[in-house]
Every structure is written in structure tokens, then in C-alpha cells.
């Protein structure tokens, strides 16, 4: 965001003294505040391209990972604002004061994304878990069904033993018959009417019940239903977040301005740049002027700073 804004500023330079001075005021405040400037750089390291991430959410095109990145970036904005506030100080000036007065962290959006998605969200739904546990009771139940096979079998077995009075009853699974209830020959007279015979074995019989078949169906289709439910929940979350795109674009623009201003201050401090004093008259006076690009492209000991003076009466220089 900052890189795009810097490019815009370079391609469309300001032409009036007041907004130029307002921008220079902001740069000077950051230049005179090294600790807040460093804190801002650290905070901005956690902010990705909010503009594009928010736009993709609004268009319904963001992936779970991109939406999670959007939430993480929004979560870093309070630290960005705090550092900006410290750098601006009292009487923050026109540019920084306007940004701070209108600042909107979009905190509830960040919280909703953080609560809704797992920390390491996948590129696409179905590739790995997407929705965080505790968000949706139906999804949690499906996951427990898929992942808790042993617990489910133990529960069903205990329920059937209590219902039939057959303490040796066992619930098992094989690939041919699926889930079954195994009863020894000595206890066949105790089986309820809803037991349906599936297989005769040496020591007894194997049965199924409508409830057991229903459980089997839920287990075998749980993964497919999990993906479907996660997709529904993710798309709903993305739509709610995307509806707030205008707010996110506004704070993205504010963060970009702060980023550029602080970066200019960082360079100005490192390279010992001097703030220009602007007037409305014709005179131009530059002492030991340096070109920030040219001096980078050649060794410092070969670069020669230049003085330039232009006045109303001496407004042409022949440079050989």
C-alpha cells in the first residue's frame, strides 16, 4: 500500500505550499521521534496489503488464508495507530491530526475473523481445517463423529448392553458389513425385535439396527459434510467482512500515508536530508544539493554536491 502511494505522490506532486508544508510537518515529526518510528516499522511489518485483501473479500474471491491474513493485518492496526500518536505528539498537525481523528481500527472485523478461522488457514476449503472449533455446533459434532470413532463405538456398545442386558455384546466394524453388533449364541434369545441379522459366525450372530446404520451413515459421510459446512460458514464470514470494505479501504489509506511519511523520515534521518523552507517568491536557493538517486548510483567520494541560486534577476544558468 505504501509503495503504491509513494508512486502516486511521485507521479502527481503537490503544487501548493500549504499541503506541501503539511506533508513536511508530518515527515519532520517522525524524523524527530526515532523510537515511535521504529515501533511503527515493527507494527507495519504485520500489515499486508489491506486494500487488495479487503477488495478480494468484497468480491467473494479471497481464500481462507487471505481472509486470515486480512484479519491478522487488521489486528496490527492498533499498534500502528499508537506509534503514530506518539510520533505526532501534541498538536499533531494537519496531516497526522486528520489521520488520527478519523482512525478506525476495524477491531470487530479483526475479532470476528480471528474467532472464525483457524490460525493456519488453508489456501482452499477442504484442504485442511478452516473454521475454528467452537464456532458452529453442527460442525463440531461432525468433527467429533469423524475423529472420535472409538468413543462413539464405546458409547453405542454401552447403550446396547444396558438396553438388552447382554453384557458380552460387542460393537465392531469391517469393510464388508460396516458396523455390526455381535451377540453370542447363549444370548440370542435376548436380542430385541429391531435387531436385523447380517452374518452367522462360529460363536454367535452379527446384527445391525436402524440406529447403528444411521450412525454408520453419519460417520462415512462426515468428511464430505464437514467440507460442505465449512464452505458455508467461510462464505458467510467472507460476505460479512466484505460488506465492510469501505471502512477497511479508509484505514488502509491512512496506514499507507503513515507508512510513506515515516519511511521518508527514516531516509531523511539516515541520509542527513534538510527540510526545505518554502516561500511564495521566485527565489530558489539550494546549498550542497544532492540527487538522492544519482548519489546512490556512483561512489560517494566521486559525487560532488552542488549549490544552485536562482532569483528574479538571475533566472537562467548555463550548466556545462
Amino acid at each position: 500500500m505504501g509503495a503504491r502511494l509513494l508512486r502516486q505522490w511521485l507521479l502527481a506532486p503537490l503544487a501548493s505550499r500549504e499541503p506541501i508544508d503539511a506533508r513536511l510537518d508530518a515527515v519532520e515529526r517522525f524524523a524527530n521521534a526515532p523510537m515511535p518510528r521504529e515501533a511503527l516499522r515493527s507494527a507495519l511489518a504485520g500489515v499486508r496489503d489491506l486494500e487488495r485483501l479487503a477488495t478480494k473479500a468484497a468480491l467473494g474471491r479471497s481464500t481462507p488464508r487471505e481472509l486470515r491474513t486480512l484479519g491478522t493485518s487488521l489486528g496490527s492496526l492498533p499498534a500502528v495507530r499508537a506509534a503514530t500518536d506518539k510520533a505526532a505528539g501534541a498538536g499533531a498537525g494537519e496531516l497526522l491530526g486528520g489521520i488520527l481523528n478519523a482512525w478506525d481500527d476495524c477491531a470487530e472485523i479483526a475479532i470476528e475473523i480471528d474467532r472464525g478461522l483457524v490460525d493456519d488457514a488453508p489456501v482452499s476449503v477442504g484442504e485442511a481445517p478452516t473454521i475454528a472449533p467452537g464456532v458452529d455446533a453442527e460442525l463440531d459434532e461432525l468433527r467429533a463423529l469423524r475423529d472420535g470413532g472409538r468413543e462413539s463405538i464405546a458409547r453405542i456398545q454401552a447403550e446396547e448392553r444396558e438396553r438388552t442386558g447382554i453384557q458380552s455384546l460387542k460393537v465392531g466394524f469391517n469393510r464388508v458389513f460396516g458396523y455390526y453388533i455381535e451377540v453370542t449364541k447363549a444370548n440370542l434369545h435376548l436380542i430385541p425385535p429391531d435387531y436385523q441379522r447380517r452374518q452367522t459366525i462360529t460363536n454367535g450372530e452379527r446384527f445391525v439396527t436402524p440406529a447403528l446404520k444411521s450412525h454408520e451413515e453419519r460417520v462415512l459421510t462426515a468428511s464430505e459434510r464437514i467440507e460442505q459446512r465449512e464452505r458455508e460458514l467461510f462464505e458467510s464470514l467472507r460476505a460479512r467482512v466484505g460488506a465492510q470494505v469501505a471502512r477497511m479501504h479508509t484505514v488502509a489509506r491512512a496506514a499507507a500515508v503513515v507508512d510513506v511519511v515515516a519511511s521518508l523520515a527514516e531516509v531523511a534521518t539516515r541520509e542527513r536530508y534538510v527540510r526545505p523552507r518554502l516561500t511564495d517568491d521566485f527565489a530558489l536557493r539550494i546549498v550542497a544539493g544532492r540527487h538522492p538517486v544519482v548519489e546512490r548510483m556512483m561512489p560517494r567520494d566521486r559525487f560532488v554536491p552542488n549549490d544552485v541560486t536562482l532569483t528574479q534577476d538571475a533566472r537562467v544558468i548555463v550548466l556545462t
Side-chain angles (χ1 to χ4, degrees), residues 298-309:
M298 60 190 300
R300 285 294 179 92
D301 57 355
R302 292 179 55 193
F303 182 85
V304 179
N306 292 278
D307 296 347
V308 176
T309 301

Side-chain angles (χ1 to χ4, degrees), residues 62-69 117 121-125 130 234 238:
S62 55
T63 67
R65 183 168 297 174
E66 289 170 335
L67 195 65
R68 180 71 206 191
T69 301
L117 299 179
V123 174
S124 60
V125 177
T130 299
F234 170 70
R238 183 173 60 188

Side-chain angles (χ1 to χ4, degrees), residues 37 83 137 266 305:
R37 191 172 73 243
E266 183 75 18

Side-chain angles (χ1 to χ4, degrees), residues 17-39:
R17 182 166 60 86
E18 289 78 10
I20 292 174
D21 273 331
R23 191 177 288 175
L24 290 173
D25 284 342
V27 174
E28 184 172 22
R29 286 178 183 269
F30 271 106
N32 293 332
M35 292 183 66
R37 191 172 73 243
E38 183 60 32

Side-chain angles (χ1 to χ4, degrees), residues 219-286:
V219 171
L220 296 179
T221 61
S223 294
E224 180 180 340
R225 292 160 63 200
I226 286 171
E227 180 176 344
Q228 179 182 351
R229 185 59 181 156
E230 282 204 312
R231 192 176 304 280
E232 293 171 356
L233 293 168
F234 170 70
E235 290 176 355
S236 175
L237 173 62
R238 183 173 60 188
R240 293 195 302 273
V241 171
Q244 302 294 320
V245 64
R247 291 175 60 195
M248 292 185 285
H249 276 181
T250 298
V251 74
R253 174 74 181 189
V257 172
V258 171
D259 185 10
V260 174
V261 167
S263 295
L264 292 174
E266 183 75 18
V267 175
T269 303
R270 185 174 65 236
E271 302 296 333
R272 303 190 309 280
Y273 292 161
V274 177
R275 174 176 176 168
R277 182 166 55 86
L278 305 180
T279 64
D280 290 323
D281 59 30
F282 182 84
L284 173 68
R285 182 166 180 260
I286 299 174

Side-chain angles (χ1 to χ4, degrees), residues 83-268:
T84 303
D85 201 16
K86 288 183 180 179
E94 182 180 349
L95 183 60
L96 294 182
I99 286 175
L100 291 171
N101 290 334
W103 190 275
D104 176 11
D105 285 333
C106 301
E108 72 279 10
I109 304 176
I111 292 172
E112 184 171 16
I113 295 174
D114 183 61
R115 290 176 177 172
L117 299 179
V118 297
D119 291 338
D120 189 15
V123 174
S124 60
V125 177
E127 185 177 290
T130 299
I131 304 300
V135 172
D136 182 73
E138 179 185 346
L139 179 61
D140 290 343
E141 183 180 348
L142 288 170
R143 284 172 171 167
L145 194 62
R146 180 196 63 187
D147 302 333
R150 291 183 178 178
E151 292 79 1
S152 298
I153 292 300
R155 176 178 53 80
I156 293 172
Q157 182 171 279
E159 291 173 353
E160 289 301 313
R161 283 180 177 180
E162 183 178 357
R163 182 166 78 102
T164 63
I166 306 173
Q167 295 305 308
S168 60
L169 177 148
K170 296 179 181 178
V171 177
F173 176 85
N174 64 38
R175 294 183 180 181
V176 177
F177 296 105
Y179 285 96
Y180 58 83
I181 298 172
E182 185 174 307
V183 180
T184 61
K185 290 180 179 180
N187 293 300
L188 290 178
H189 64 286
L190 296 175
I191 63 171
D194 62 334
Y195 273 39
Q196 303 167 12
R197 183 177 284 103
R198 272 298 174 91
Q199 185 183 18
T200 300
I201 58 175
T202 304
N203 297 324
E205 301 278 352
R206 287 176 176 173
F207 301 87
V208 297
T209 66
L212 189 60
K213 293 304 294 182
S214 176
H215 172 78
E216 179 181 4
E217 180 67 20
R218 292 199 306 272
V219 171
L220 296 179
T221 61
S223 294
E224 180 180 340
R225 292 160 63 200
I226 286 171
E227 180 176 344
Q228 179 182 351
R229 185 59 181 156
E230 282 204 312
R231 192 176 304 280
E232 293 171 356
L233 293 168
F234 170 70
E235 290 176 355
S236 175
L237 173 62
R238 183 173 60 188
R240 293 195 302 273
V241 171
Q244 302 294 320
V245 64
R247 291 175 60 195
M248 292 185 285
H249 276 181
T250 298
V251 74
R253 174 74 181 189
V257 172
V258 171
D259 185 10
V260 174
V261 167
S263 295
L264 292 174
E266 183 75 18
V267 175

